[in-house]
Amino acid sequence: MEELVMGLELDYDQWTETLTGKFGLQRYRADQICQWIYQKKIFDFQEMTNLSKELRGKLADAVMVAPPILTREETSKDGTKKYLWQFHDGERVESVLLSQEGRLTACLSTQVGCPLACTFCASGEGGFVRDLSGGEIVGQFLAMEKLAGRDIDNVVYMGMGEPFLNQESVFKSIKILNEPKMRGLGIRRITISTAGIVPGILALAEAQMPVKLSVSLHAPNDRLRSKLMPINKKYPLASLLEALRRYQSATNDRVTFEYLMLEGVNDLPEYAYELAALLKGLSFYINLIPYNQVEGSKYKRSSAGRIKAFSNILSQLNIEHEIRRERGSDINAACGQLKRISA
Ligand code: SAH
């Protein structure tokens, strides 16, 4: 038997090639099918009514368009939704749909588990299981958009996993979401968040793919950062900042830094000054993120007073920043709370 084609893994050119080559169809069929999948969120060929019955049957036999299966859904008091998805091998990831001022943002996972083992984050606790494919990343988006019954406005690659350790699939998923003949999501509506994987940042600088970039910094010096994020030993701050300078000269784009507020660990006033000095010369914005409690964690969220004091110093130094409002923490859907939940 011929191998089943996994439809969500195909980009636009691959759809065209598959349909013209394997099925001897005309090119416009790719446009039709992509419209069903990416605009109307119809995944079953039998429902694609502008294809002949015969063609529907042929496609259904040979191509599978299968977003992940929803196995659990939770809704937070603030309206944030968290979904647990299952892929065909039984592995599961979570993704989150945030609603703010009428805009929907999908937070997508890129790996099952995470190899980085940042000491404050739940996603790395169970170790790394596997990368998601491009279609599995896109599938989270499509399944959420179908459930939402309306367009999702923004995508952030801030779920479980490190996007730049699964760069090929992540880039492919962006290409699919952005392609006008597929989902047509504006490239500036997409944000990649990285723990600071230098080759990934450099690849993005070269990629002609002007998504927004966010870097999880969390500390202003190597001593502290290596304690919080072991990956800092491999890519210390000097190399990270050098990569960001190169990124910035290639893209002219501002970078966002995420800075967790951990009581008594990285929230001392002196660190605010050190942070300002470290980032000098870059064009950037800082998000101060109140730490979300992770079960069994040794860290505590900084008090509101300490966060305010840190923020005040940044203001005095004319550093643009905001204190991020937490979302969905009552259902463990907030940053750093996503886990791989096994069956
Ligand atoms: N690996 C990428 C993508 C994950 S993004 C990255 O590190 O950027 C998830 C964001 O949530 C990161 O900024 C991460 O540092 C942050 N985070 C992790 N644990 C957290 C927690 N317990 N509370 C708040 N933010 C957390």
Side-chain angles (χ1 to χ4, degrees):
M1 231 180 78
E2 260 192 274
E3 209 178 316
L4 205 58
V5 176
M6 302 303 277
L8 294 185
E9 304 300 336
L10 306 179
D11 62 25
Y12 180 68
D13 290 342
Q14 291 169 324
W15 265 114
T16 310
E17 262 164 51
T18 304
L19 295 174
T20 55
K22 200 175 161 91
F23 296 93
L25 298 171
Q26 287 183 279
R27 302 179 72 89
Y28 76 95
R29 293 295 186 188
D31 299 21
Q32 286 183 322
I33 290 170
C34 288
Q35 211 171 41
W36 282 110
I37 298 172
Y38 290 94
Q39 307 295 323
K40 300 182 195 154
K41 262 65 72 176
I42 295 294
F43 309 127
D44 181 350
F45 288 107
Q46 301 299 352
E47 293 176 42
M48 302 186 180
T49 48
N50 56 2
L51 310 178
S52 72
K53 264 223 166 88
E54 190 202 337
L55 179 54
R56 288 183 229 166
K58 263 196 348 201
L59 289 168
D61 285 344
V63 185
M64 188 162 85
V65 177
I69 293 164
L70 180 65
T71 58
R72 190 201 295 172
E73 174 179 348
E74 287 171 89
T75 305
S76 151
K77 286 183 288 213
D78 63 28
T80 302
K81 288 184 183 282
K82 183 169 77 166
Y83 301 100
L84 179 65
W85 308 109
Q86 182 165 319
F87 300 106
H88 52 261
D89 65 351
E91 285 301 342
R92 296 172 169 191
V93 300
E94 296 182 309
S95 31
V96 177
L97 190 62
L98 300 110
S99 167
Q100 271 160 314
E101 289 150 26
R103 280 173 298 114
L104 292 182
T105 299
C107 176
L108 306 181
S109 290
T110 56
Q111 298 180 313
V112 182
C114 182
L116 295 183
C118 298
T119 55
F120 46 79
C121 183
S123 294
E125 272 171 16
F128 170 71
V129 180
R130 70 169 175 86
D131 285 331
L132 294 185
S133 67
E136 288 173 329
I137 297 171
V138 169
Q140 297 167 58
F141 175 91
L142 287 178
M144 280 194 280
E145 197 161 60
K146 182 162 186 156
L147 287 171
R150 55 161 280 194
D151 280 2
I152 290 173
D153 303 282
N154 301 295
V155 166
V156 294
Y157 287 81
M158 293 190 187
M160 191 189 301
E162 167 52 45
F164 284 145
L165 293 181
N166 184 17
Q167 190 185 299
E168 200 182 315
S169 297
V170 166
F171 282 14
K172 179 146 197 190
S173 68
I174 291 170
K175 189 174 171 202
I176 291 173
L177 290 175
N178 177 237
E179 166 60 48
K181 302 227 171 190
M182 300 178 92
R183 178 52 182 75
L185 183 70
I187 199 75
R188 300 295 293 163
R189 291 169 176 265
I190 301 175
T191 300
I192 293 184
S193 180
T194 178
I197 307 297
V198 164
I201 294 169
L202 296 176
L204 186 62
E206 306 279 298
Q208 309 287 325
M209 192 188 266
V211 296
K212 296 186 189 170
L213 179 64
S214 189
V215 176
S216 299
L217 194 62
H218 306 327
N221 61 57
D222 282 321
R223 182 190 52 78
L224 186 53
R225 194 165 192 270
S226 294
K227 266 202 238 162
L228 298 175
M229 307 172 73
I231 190 67
N232 189 67
K233 292 177 201 143
K234 184 158 183 193
Y235 303 113
L237 285 170
S239 65
L240 175 57
L241 291 171
E242 176 56 25
L244 290 173
R245 280 189 285 271
R246 283 168 62 184
Y247 172 84
Q248 217 145 57
S249 59
T251 63
N252 263 319
D253 203 16
R254 192 149 92 146
V255 173
T256 298
F257 290 106
E258 314 278 321
Y259 195 98
L260 263 178
M261 297 303 286
L262 304 168
E263 171 106 3
V265 177
N266 66 352
D267 65 351
L268 312 181
E270 68 204 64
Y271 291 143
Y273 292 102
E274 207 177 349
L275 186 60
L278 177 76
L279 301 181
K280 212 165 171 203
L282 283 174
S283 161
F284 65 94
Y285 186 84
I286 298 179
N287 273 331
L288 298 179
I289 311 175
Y291 172 65
N292 297 308
Q293 204 56 48
V294 167
E295 221 182 273
S297 164
K298 56 184 172 195
Y299 299 111
K300 245 181 64 190
R301 168 186 297 195
S302 306
S303 68
R306 290 178 82 119
I307 297 177
K308 191 77 192 101
F310 200 92
S311 161
N312 284 343
I313 296 170
L314 295 181
S315 296
Q316 280 163 20
L317 298 171
N318 283 321
I319 304 262
E320 271 191 89
H321 68 286
E322 71 179 291
I323 301 169
R324 201 201 271 160
R325 209 153 54 94
E326 73 175 307
R327 316 273 307 171
S329 58
D330 55 327
I331 55 166
N332 286 338
C335 299
Q337 294 183 318
L338 299 192
K339 292 215 267 201
R340 159 184 178 248
I341 294 167
S342 26

